[in-house]
């Protein structure tokens, strides 16, 4: 697809690869005159701006030159890595001159842009090339077999590569070798190419096919292979490109005959050695693979010849071609549509006209018809073969559960050189663990929950607390699990009952007088009514009289009112007591309304039992006192609400230190949701460890609430749910799937939690009930239905699968420690062969962990060391550390950010499936090539499990074993024949076998065939295997054991080894024995 | 030669694609590796695979040098081709499913410079929207923004469905990262142009974490640079780049962990390096 064009009849040179942005320099061609026959010459620099969709190239600078050019190149001389200095433009002129320009000065618009000039050559300088190893070295070629090597640091005196070739001829091309810096090649229209060794200062080889019809217009070295080069011929009688290998210089290695007429220029891509551009007098621009001769691409061009063609060094998909019609065109070889481009122009037009009805005719303009010719060319296909630079060779992607999927394609060079390379294709799945402390604390929390050791846990937390507040919080939490929790709370608030008793006693002693006084009063009051003497019942008009009258009429209420009015509080209260509960209450109220003492309100609350009042209106500085009062007096049913209320006030009205104290109130209240809210407000809860801080408290508090208040805590608030799922997500991201599941709240319908739970369950490999009903039906009606197809994944047809399995059965590399979910050996074995599962368990170190998933150890301990690897290095470095490192192991701490060792998962291996003989361990044969460097010590059969096999998940499977055993299913009827046939055969063999060794073998075989029967019961064998087994059974019945053995071999070689490894080898033993014994 | 490997939503199935034109699906539960499907249909190297969200069933998208995007689907345990998207004129280099909240939408970036959006409209029909000339001479990567209104965890959701704004990022051979936004009329519009790379942008990855006030994008390039772009303002207009690392050669791939505090950076010879993000350490 054409990207840009410039109307110039010019030689062209791209800026070096280091340069950004990309420039294209053009220098007026000496050989062609443009349509104006102008003899003016100029050197111009354009910028390739791909973000501009137009075809125009942005001109950066024009320099009017007195020269016209035969050749123009742009070398990276003295360029720094950032590309700040733009290198040097080297031009070959008409009269033996070579001119060096400074492109940065041209761009800057300076007048003095020539760095140096030398006209030592004879005739036009048609050939120039910069040495890519020493960018100060430039080779040039001109007439009379002249070749000079210029040192840009010392431009005055060139060197020669050796004596001039005879007879004298024009040098049309010159090229430095791409691999060996002192090798140079030159070629001339006469057809000969000469290779020079600058160290020897002489030509070392001459390349010619003796046809005398090669007319060299192009010469290029292979970018990768030092001894190969191509020559292009301009002769219409021999329009070919010859590929030569100097090691076999008698004839061309390959001849590309894709052009119909002479070739004018070639260019070999440095980014992909399989791409060679050529343009010829047949007006074609082709891109071919010189290593095969195949034409990969034909550029859509006009009918004009191109005389120069160049790859853009920086952008490998871009090339430029200069044609005789006076145009330089920039193309992309990736194809693409120019529709958008043109559409853009159309859009631009219509937007300029305002709308589709620019002339107000009431008729919108008809849509613009793009002319037929352009429509034909609007879609340009890309190269037939994808270029090297778009083939992504590596990748690493995260997936759920902190797993990292990585792949790489490592080339293993073999002896035959680059053409025959073996590639290793592996995909690795590894566990990434970065939050070690987080996981270990989470683990501790789980243990505490599991062992119900809450008090200990809280105590540890108290001891480890860094701040007073933290300590308080944990102390409060701890109290929840102790007897007399309210009393303990009071103590924590600074009110010990004993202390208080002492204090009161002390106070009473001090104010002894008052005490006496009270007594006296009492005595007085007792004395008065009981004095026995007469007293005057005054019914006068004063207050006393009125009270008397009221009392006499039994009107307590009025009497009390009168007393209150007269401020006779004691009288009022006493009368009120006599007047009944209701009156008393009212009187108390009135009393408190009148009384102004500091502690009145407290007394009020105590007497009226109105704690809400206290909590609602106390000074927040006295929150402790208020909380203490509530702890002392509040009834169980109102206690929580009051604590809550106080907490809410602290949170809403208090300053920030008080706000955090609200947490304590919520703990007393057992209000998890509010604790979460308050904590989240006060703390930065987003870091894993601070989330851990919160979750620890929440989990403990929930447990406390469960224990003490016997409340249903299964309902989970929105915020807590959010935090819990965030926490579970974090755990999952560190690979602790089981722990994540354990922490997720159970009974909630909140969608995010339900989703996460489902995801976690499935990630553990457990099928989830109801998964057959996706929420959104997806074109069910479109797809064939009712096929008697297999149901589960494990019953998928397994055609073409054999070559992919072997690696799956490889034992992991020595020292390879696997994490919970990524154990290749566990997969086939666990669910399907319950009979022998127990044998797997004992070898693993099992610390005192409960086996319910709460305590799946975090994977972090087992993260092996991983270094930067050399490119051809495959296996992970073996680790020698024990599987269960103690926490805090310095090595694993240091390595916590490293990924765990990958599991090779070959999708393309072509290793032959080994034929198994007699239950031999098969390891080693199938080791991926790259692993041959491993110590060969690891050769245990799979059955025994790998070292460091999964702990978490295995436990779950182990747990479920007993039930599985009990409910062993019957073998399906159609397969029962297999069992009877095989057992019958073994019996027959046993009866005719004589030596004890054979009998032992057969006994063993009989036992091991149980695995087969188990698989039949579970119906986990693929149809191909079962049908194969039936064929074997049939051949046993006809006593054709050799046919049975052939069938056996066939099954083994076409099936998944993990499916068959448990029983196929013994079946072979039985068949062989039967054949031998002739039973 | 493998070109991509992706796990499904649960991490139990692995899809790989290769220059041998195949797409393969493995069951990797419990560490096993059982090939359950070898999907043939592409006529060129397959560059990328992408799993749709599991709520739509088991659906995989793949893109290839053959200019095609194929949607594969499992029905009754059998994987089959469900749809073929042939509207690109050059290699399709990247596919990425939109957040599931939007429905089934697959963004595809191609060497023809266009990005197409493939939307499932029900009953086996897919609708295509195409952004032409998104990246001159090629789009190398597409990555969707998570389906959240920025800051939704901070301001508690009030229960009503948030007004999602569909956005994705793309990177291309014009050295640019572009951010695209769906307008109210359903048209896609270039919203931002992020310039910092001096060579092809090989990959972009939008931070998948939700509910944070900051949006983050990682990008990597042929020039060896890995940039982290962040945007704090709600309008999404001001993005600032921070150079995470400068490698000596091309960086092919960037991938965020699910919780987005780890970035995996892939380049040749040191197959992956994990980088903790100092500047986003405070993120969950």
């Amino acid at each position: 697809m054409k990207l840009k064009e410039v109307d110039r009849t010019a030689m062209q040179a791209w800026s070096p690869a280091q340069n950004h942005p990309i420039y294209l320099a053009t220098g007026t061609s000496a050989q062609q005159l443009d349509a104006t026959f102008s003899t003016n010459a100029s050197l111009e620099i354009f910028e390739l701006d791909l973000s501009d969709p137009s075809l125009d190239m942005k001109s950066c600078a024009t320099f009017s030159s007195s020269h016209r050019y035969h050749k123009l190149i742009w070398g990276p001389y003295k360029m720094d890595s950032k590309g700040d200095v733009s290198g040097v433009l080297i031009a070959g002129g008409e009269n033996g001159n070579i001119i060096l320009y400074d492109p940065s000065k041209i761009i800057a618009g300076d007048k003095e842009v020539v760095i140096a000039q030398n006209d030592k050559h004879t005739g036009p300088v048609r050939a120039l090339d910069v040495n890519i190893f020493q960018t100060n070295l430039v080779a040039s070629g001109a007439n009379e077999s002249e070749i000079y090597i210029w040192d840009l640091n010392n431009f005055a005196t060139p060197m020669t590569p050796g004596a001039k070739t005879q007879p004298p001829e024009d040098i049309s091309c010159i090229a430095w070798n791409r691999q060996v810096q002192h090798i140079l090649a030159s070629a001339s229209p006469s057809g000969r190419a000469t290779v020079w060794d600058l160290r020897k200062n002489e030509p070392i080889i001459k390349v010619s096919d003796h046809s005398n019809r090669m007319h060299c217009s192009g010469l290029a070295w292979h970018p990768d292979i030092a001894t190969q080069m191509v020559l292009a011929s301009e002769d219409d009688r021999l329009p070919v490109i010859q590929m030569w290998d100097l090691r076999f210089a008698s004839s061309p290695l390959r001849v590309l005959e894709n052009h119909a007429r002479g070739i004018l220029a070639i260019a070999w891509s440095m980014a992909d050695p399989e791409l060679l551009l050529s343009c010829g007098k047949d007006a074609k621009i082709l891109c071919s693979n010189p290593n095969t001769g195949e034409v990969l691409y034909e550029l859509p061009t006009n009918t004009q010849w191109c005389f120069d063609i160049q790859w853009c060094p920086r952008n490998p998909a871009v090339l430029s071609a200069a044609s005789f019609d006076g145009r330089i065109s920039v193309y992309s070889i990736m194809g693409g549509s120019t529709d958008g481009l043109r559409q853009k122009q159309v859009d631009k037009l219509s937007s300029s006209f305002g709308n589709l009805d620019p002339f107000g005719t009431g008729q919108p303009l008809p849509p613009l018809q793009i002319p037929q010719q352009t429509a034909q060319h609007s879609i340009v296909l890309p190269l037939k073969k994808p270029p090297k630079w778009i083939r992504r060779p590596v990748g690493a992607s995260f997936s759920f559960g902190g797993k990292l999927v990585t792949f790489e394609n490592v080339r293993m060079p073999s002896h035959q050189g680059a053409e025959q390379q073996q590639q290793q294709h592996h995909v690795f799945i590894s566990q990434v663990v970065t939050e070690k402390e987080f996981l270990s604390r989470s683990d501790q929390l789980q243990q505490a929950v599991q062992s119900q050791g809450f008090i200990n846990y809280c105590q540890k937390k108290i001891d480890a607390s860094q701040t007073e507040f933290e300590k308080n919080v944990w102390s409060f939490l701890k109290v929840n699990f102790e007897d007399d929790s309210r009393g303990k709370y009071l103590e924590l608030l600074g009110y010990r009952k004993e202390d208080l008793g002492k204090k009161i006693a002390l106070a009473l002693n001090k104010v002894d007088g008052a005490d006496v006084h009270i007594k006296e009063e009492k005595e007085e009051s007792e004395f008065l009514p009981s004095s026995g003497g007469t007293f005057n019942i005054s019914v006068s008009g004063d207050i006393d009289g009125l009270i008397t009258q009221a009392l006499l009429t039994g009107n307590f209420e009025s009497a009390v009112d009168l007393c209150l009015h007269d401020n006779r509080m004691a009288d009022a209260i006493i009368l009120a007591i006599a007047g009944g509960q209701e009156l008393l209450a009212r009187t108390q109220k009135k009393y408190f309304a009148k009384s102004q003492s500091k502690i009145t309100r407290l007394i009020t609350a105590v007497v009226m039992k109105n704690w809400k009042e206290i909590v609602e209106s106390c000074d927040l500085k006295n929150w402790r006192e208020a909380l203490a009062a509530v702890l002392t007096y509040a009834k169980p049913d109102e206690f929580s609400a009051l604590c809550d209320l106080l907490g809410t006030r602290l949170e809403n009205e208090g300053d920030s230190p008080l706000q955090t104290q609200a947490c304590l109130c919520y703990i007393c209240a057992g209000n998890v949701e509010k604790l979460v809210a308050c904590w989240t407000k006060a703390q930065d809860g987003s870091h894993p460890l601070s989330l851990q801080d919160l979750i620890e408290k929440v989990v403990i508090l929930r447990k406390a609430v469960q224990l003490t208040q016997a409340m249903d805590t299964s309902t989970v608030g929105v915020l807590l749910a959010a935090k819990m799922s965030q926490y579970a997500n974090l755990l999952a991201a560190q690979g602790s799937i089981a722990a994540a599941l354990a922490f997720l709240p159970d009974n909630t319908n909140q969608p995010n939690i339900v989703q996460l739970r489902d995801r976690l369950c499935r990630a553990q490999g457990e099928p989830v009930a109801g998964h057959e009903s996706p929420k959104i039906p997806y074109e069910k009606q479109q797809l064939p239905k009712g096929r008697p197809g297999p149901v589960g994944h494990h019953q998928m047809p397994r055609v073409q699968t054999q070559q992919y399995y072997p690696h799956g059965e490889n034992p992991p590399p020595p020292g390879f420690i696997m994490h919970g979910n990524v154990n290749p050996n566990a997969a086939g074995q666990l669910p399907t062969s319950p009979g022998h599962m127990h044998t797997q368990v004992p070898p693993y170190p099992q610390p005192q962990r409960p086996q319910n998933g709460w305590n799946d150890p975090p994977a972090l301990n087992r993260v092996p060391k991983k270094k930067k690897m050399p490119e051809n290095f495959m296996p992970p470095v073996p680790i020698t550390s024990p599987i269960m490192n103690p926490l805090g192991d310095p090595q694993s701490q240091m390595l916590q950010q490293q990924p765990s060792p990958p599991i090779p998962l070959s999708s393309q291996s072509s290793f032959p499936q080994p034929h198994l003989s007699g239950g031999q361990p098969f390891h080693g044969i199938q080791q991926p090539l790259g692993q041959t460097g491993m110590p060969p010590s690891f050769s245990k059969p799979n059955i025994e499990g790998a070292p460091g096999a999964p702990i978490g998940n295995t436990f779950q499977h182990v747990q479920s074993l007993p039930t599985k055993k009990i409910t062993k299913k019957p073998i399906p009827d159609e397969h029962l024949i297999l069992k009877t046939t095989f057992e019958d055969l073994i019996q027959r063999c046993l009866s005719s076998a004589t030596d004890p060794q054979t009998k032992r073998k057969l006994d063993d075989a009989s036992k091991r065939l149980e695995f087969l029967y188990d698989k039949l019961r579970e119906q986990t064998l693929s149809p191909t295997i079962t049908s194969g087994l039936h064929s074997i059974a049939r051949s046993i019945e006809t006593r054709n054991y050799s046919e049975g053995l052939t069938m056996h071999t066939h099954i083994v070689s076409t099936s998944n080894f993990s499916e068959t490894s448990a029983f196929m080898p013994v079946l072979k033993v039985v068949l062989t024995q039967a054949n031998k014994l002739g039973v | 030669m493998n070109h991509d490997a992706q796990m499904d939503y649960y991490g139990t199935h692995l899809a790989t694609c290769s220059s041998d034109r195949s797409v393969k699906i493995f069951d990797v539960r419990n560490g096993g590796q059982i090939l359950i499907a070898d999907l043939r249909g592409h006529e060129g190297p397959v560059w990328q695979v992408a799993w749709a969200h599991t709520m739509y069933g088991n659906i995989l998208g793949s893109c290839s040098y053959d200019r095609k995007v194929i949607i594969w689907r499992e029905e009754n345990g059998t994987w089959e081709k469900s749809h073929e998207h042939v509207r690109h004129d050059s290699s399709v280099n990247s596919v990425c499913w939109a957040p599931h909240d939007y429905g089934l939408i697959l963004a595809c970036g191609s060497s023809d410079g266009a990005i197409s959006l493939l939307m499932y409209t029900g009953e086996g029909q897919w609708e295509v929207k195409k952004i032409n000339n998104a990246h001159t001479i090629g789009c190398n990567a597409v990555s969707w923004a998570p389906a959240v209104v920025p800051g939704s965890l901070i301001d508690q959701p009030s229960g009503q469905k948030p007004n999602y704004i569909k956005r994705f990022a793309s990177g291309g051979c014009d050295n640019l990262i572009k951010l695209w936004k769906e307008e109210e009329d359903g048209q896609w519009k270039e919203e931002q142009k992020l310039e910092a790379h001096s060579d092809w942008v090989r990959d972009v990855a939008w931070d998948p974490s939700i509910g944070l006030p900051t949006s983050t994008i990682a990008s990597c390039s042929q020039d060896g640079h890995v940039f982290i772009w962040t945007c704090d303002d709600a309008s999404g207009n001001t993005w600032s780049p921070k150079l995470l690392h400068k490698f000596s050669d091309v960086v092919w791939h960037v991938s965020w962990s699910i919780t987005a505090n780890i970035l995996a950076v892939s380049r040749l010879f040191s197959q992956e390096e994990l980088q903790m993000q100092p500047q986003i350490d405070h993120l969950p």
Side-chain angles (χ1 to χ4, degrees), chain A residues 272-290:
Chain A
D272 185 346
E274 296 186 340
L275 302 180
L276 179 73
L277 285 171
S278 54
C279 54
K281 292 187 265 184
D282 54 1
K284 279 183 180 171
I285 300 176
L286 300 179
C287 184
S288 0
N289 180 352

Side-chain angles (χ1 to χ4, degrees), chain B residues 39-41 58-60 62 70-73 79-81:
Chain B
L39 305 174
R40 300 287 170 161
N58 287 328
I59 295 171
L60 187 74
S62 63
I70 297 182
I71 314 260
W72 310 88
R73 171 156 202 261
W79 281 90
E80 271 172 10
K81 190 194 288 183

Side-chain angles (χ1 to χ4, degrees), chain A residues 618-636:
Chain A
C618 72
D619 187 331
L620 282 178
K621 281 184 193 132
N622 291 329
W623 70 272
R624 283 172 183 274
E625 287 69 29
L627 185 57
V630 169
L631 284 165
T632 311
Y633 290 103
K635 284 182 225 145

Side-chain angles (χ1 to χ4, degrees), chain A residues 493-773:
Chain A
L493 287 168
Y495 298 98
R496 296 176 73 88
K497 277 183 182 162
E498 302 91 69
D499 290 359
L500 188 63
K502 277 180 208 154
K503 274 189 209 160
I504 290 175
L506 209 66
L508 288 179
N509 287 337
K510 264 191 202 154
V511 287
D512 220 7
D515 199 17
V516 171
H517 180 67
I518 293 165
K519 267 185 188 165
E520 279 169 2
E521 272 183 345
K522 264 188 185 167
E523 279 162 22
E524 269 176 54
S525 57
E526 281 161 14
F527 166 77
L528 273 174
S530 62
S531 62
T534 57
F535 65 99
N536 177 24
I537 300 173
S538 164
V539 287
S540 57
D542 62 356
I543 298 279
D544 275 0
L546 289 173
I547 295 172
T548 310
Q549 289 176 35
L551 286 176
L552 289 176
T553 56
N555 190 344
F556 284 99
E557 201 162 335
S558 305
V560 168
D561 284 348
L562 285 166
C563 291
L564 285 173
H565 181 73
D566 203 26
N567 216 16
R568 289 151 78 163
M569 293 299 172
D571 283 354
I573 301 283
I574 285 169
L575 283 174
I577 291 169
Q581 277 299 316
E582 202 184 319
L583 182 58
L584 179 62
R586 255 183 288 152
T587 313
Q588 280 173 346
K589 214 180 256 171
K590 284 177 183 160
Y591 166 76
F592 292 129
K594 282 195 142 187
S595 175
Q596 298 299 321
S597 152
K598 270 199 247 170
I599 61 162
T600 311
R601 294 186 77 172
L602 181 58
I603 297 174
T604 313
V606 172
V607 173
M608 311 289 283
K609 301 197 169 56
N610 186 359
W611 294 104
K612 202 168 171 208
E613 156 79 8
I614 289 273
V615 168
E616 270 177 349
S617 52
C618 72
D619 187 331
L620 282 178
K621 281 184 193 132
N622 291 329
W623 70 272
R624 283 172 183 274
E625 287 69 29
L627 185 57
V630 169
L631 284 165
T632 311
Y633 290 103
K635 284 182 225 145
D637 58 338
E638 59 182 9
F639 173 73
S640 293
L642 288 170
C643 293
D644 238 27
L645 194 62
L646 185 60
T648 314
R649 274 197 68 207
L650 282 170
E651 218 182 320
N652 295 340
E653 299 164 32
D655 49 11
S656 58
L658 285 177
Q659 279 173 2
T660 52
Q661 305 295 348
C663 292
L664 295 179
C665 297
Y666 295 138
I667 290 172
C668 292
N671 190 331
V672 179
E673 189 69 9
K674 285 221 167 154
L675 175 64
V676 175
C678 178
W679 184 272
T680 315
K681 212 190 282 178
Q683 313 278 328
D684 168 26
S686 52
H687 189 275
L689 285 181
S690 79
L691 185 60
Q692 173 71 27
D693 278 342
L694 170 64
I695 297 296
E696 281 170 359
K697 293 171 183 93
V698 167
V699 167
I700 296 294
L701 183 58
R702 276 166 62 85
K703 288 289 165 195
V705 172
Q706 266 169 2
L707 287 180
T708 57
Q709 305 184 3
M711 261 169 60
D712 176 27
T713 51
S714 58
T715 48
V716 175
V718 176
L719 192 57
L720 176 60
K723 285 287 163 191
M724 283 306 236
S725 64
Q726 195 186 345
Y727 185 65
N729 265 320
L730 267 177
L731 281 170
Q734 300 292 318
S736 299
I737 305 270
L741 261 176
F743 277 111
L744 261 193
D746 283 324
N747 307 321
T748 172
N749 289 325
Q750 292 189 36
N752 58 339
I753 294 198
V754 174
Q755 257 173 37
L756 183 59
R757 172 169 299 280
D758 167 72
R759 196 172 187 182
L760 287 165
C761 286
R762 300 271 210 105
Q764 275 196 324
E766 293 167 5
V768 174
H771 96 95
E772 293 303 330
S773 57

Side-chain angles (χ1 to χ4, degrees), chain A residues 309-597:
Chain A
I309 193 159
Q310 302 281 340
W311 288 104
C312 170
R314 187 175 181 88
N315 195 329
V318 169
L319 63 102
S320 60
S323 56
F324 282 115
D325 61 351
R327 178 173 290 173
I328 291 174
S329 305
V330 177
Y331 297 94
S332 153
I333 55 159
M334 291 308 293
S337 164
T338 52
D339 285 349
L341 226 128
R342 284 172 217 286
Q343 191 56 48
K344 255 200 161 120
Q345 289 166 344
V346 172
D347 288 349
K348 237 185 229 169
L349 268 175
S350 60
S351 76
S352 299
F353 283 105
N355 56 39
L356 290 175
D357 182 18
F359 308 114
T361 57
Q363 295 269 311
L365 287 179
L368 189 61
Q369 293 293 321
I370 294 168
Q372 198 57 42
Q373 200 193 350
T374 48
Q376 273 176 354
H377 291 286
S378 66
I379 292 175
V380 180
L381 298 186
L383 282 175
K384 269 189 206 162
K385 151 207 112 90
K388 190 178 168 188
W389 60 81
I390 74 167
R391 290 176 250 161
R392 185 163 76 172
V394 286
S397 301
F398 276 103
S399 81
F400 187 63
K403 282 186 209 141
L404 187 67
V405 182
T406 56
F407 64 89
E408 58 182 348
N409 299 279
V410 181
R411 278 172 181 266
M412 307 286 292
S414 67
H415 302 295
Q416 273 76 38
E419 274 176 295
Q420 292 187 358
Q421 289 183 327
Q422 270 191 309
Q423 288 208 344
Q424 299 280 307
H425 313 289
H426 290 287
V427 177
F428 303 96
I429 303 171
S430 27
Q431 183 70 53
V432 178
V433 175
T434 54
E435 298 289 343
K436 189 180 154 85
E437 191 190 344
F438 171 74
L439 284 179
S440 87
R441 281 178 56 183
S442 169
D443 192 39
Q444 285 165 18
L445 177 60
Q446 289 179 70
Q447 284 185 29
V449 170
Q450 203 49 51
S451 62
Q452 305 273 318
F454 301 118
I455 294 183
N456 271 341
Y457 183 76
C458 293
Q459 189 57 49
K460 269 188 212 149
K461 285 283 170 189
I462 294 170
D463 297 342
S465 293
Q466 304 280 333
T467 64
E468 196 58 31
F469 174 66
E470 183 80 7
K471 198 169 189 165
N472 273 337
V473 168
W474 281 111
S475 305
F476 269 69
L477 284 169
K478 183 183 163 202
V479 164
N480 278 310
F481 300 99
E482 293 171 332
D483 301 332
D484 182 23
S485 59
R486 286 212 198 175
K488 296 258 169 60
Y489 278 136
L490 278 174
E491 281 174 26
L492 286 172
L493 287 168
Y495 298 98
R496 296 176 73 88
K497 277 183 182 162
E498 302 91 69
D499 290 359
L500 188 63
K502 277 180 208 154
K503 274 189 209 160
I504 290 175
L506 209 66
L508 288 179
N509 287 337
K510 264 191 202 154
V511 287
D512 220 7
D515 199 17
V516 171
H517 180 67
I518 293 165
K519 267 185 188 165
E520 279 169 2
E521 272 183 345
K522 264 188 185 167
E523 279 162 22
E524 269 176 54
S525 57
E526 281 161 14
F527 166 77
L528 273 174
S530 62
S531 62
T534 57
F535 65 99
N536 177 24
I537 300 173
S538 164
V539 287
S540 57
D542 62 356
I543 298 279
D544 275 0
L546 289 173
I547 295 172
T548 310
Q549 289 176 35
L551 286 176
L552 289 176
T553 56
N555 190 344
F556 284 99
E557 201 162 335
S558 305
V560 168
D561 284 348
L562 285 166
C563 291
L564 285 173
H565 181 73
D566 203 26
N567 216 16
R568 289 151 78 163
M569 293 299 172
D571 283 354
I573 301 283
I574 285 169
L575 283 174
I577 291 169
Q581 277 299 316
E582 202 184 319
L583 182 58
L584 179 62
R586 255 183 288 152
T587 313
Q588 280 173 346
K589 214 180 256 171
K590 284 177 183 160
Y591 166 76
F592 292 129
K594 282 195 142 187
S595 175
Q596 298 299 321
S597 152

Side-chain angles (χ1 to χ4, degrees), chain A residues 760-960:
Chain A
L760 287 165
C761 286
R762 300 271 210 105
Q764 275 196 324
E766 293 167 5
V768 174
H771 96 95
E772 293 303 330
S773 57
K775 285 172 199 160
I776 293 182
Y778 170 94
E779 59 170 343
K780 282 218 152 111
Q781 66 276 25
Q782 286 258 320
L783 290 153
K785 268 180 149 182
R787 220 177 320 155
V791 181
H793 289 295
H794 47 274
Q795 292 187 353
M796 298 286 289
R798 292 218 169 105
V799 199
Q800 302 185 7
T801 57
Q802 65 276 22
Q803 71 196 83
Y804 307 106
Y805 284 114
H807 283 192
E809 286 310 308
N810 271 343
F816 185 102
I817 306 300
M818 272 163 297
H819 304 296
N821 285 332
V822 283
N823 175 18
N825 292 331
Q829 307 286 346
L830 290 184
T832 52
S833 51
H836 64 107
M837 267 303 298
H838 287 295
T839 59
Q840 283 208 9
V841 181
Y844 309 137
Q846 286 184 45
Q848 59 301 336
R849 293 165 185 276
Q851 303 181 352
N852 65 348
W854 262 97
N855 283 303
D856 291 341
L860 64 163
N861 302 348
R862 295 167 270 140
V863 175
K865 191 163 190 161
K866 191 165 178 189
K867 292 176 188 164
K868 264 192 180 178
M869 295 174 186
E871 62 176 299
N872 58 351
F873 183 77
M874 285 303 304
V877 179
I879 24 166
T880 49
S881 56
I883 295 160
M884 299 302 291
N885 275 353
L887 292 174
D889 169 70
Q891 194 195 8
S892 45
Q893 247 165 15
M894 190 177 73
L895 294 165
Q896 58 179 325
Q897 296 187 11
Q898 305 270 4
S900 55
I903 300 163
L905 170 58
S906 158
S907 61
Q908 297 193 331
S909 70
S910 53
F911 293 99
Q913 172 79 27
H915 291 258
L916 297 165
S917 53
Q920 285 267 325
F922 55 92
H923 315 280
I925 319 163
Q926 298 165 333
Q927 291 277 6
L929 259 175
Q931 294 191 0
T932 47
M934 304 300 299
S937 60
F938 190 94
S939 61
K940 289 183 204 159
N942 276 339
I943 302 293
E944 294 181 26
I951 291 157
N953 285 329
T954 312
F955 282 173
Q956 296 187 331
H957 289 294
V958 169
Q959 248 198 341
S960 60

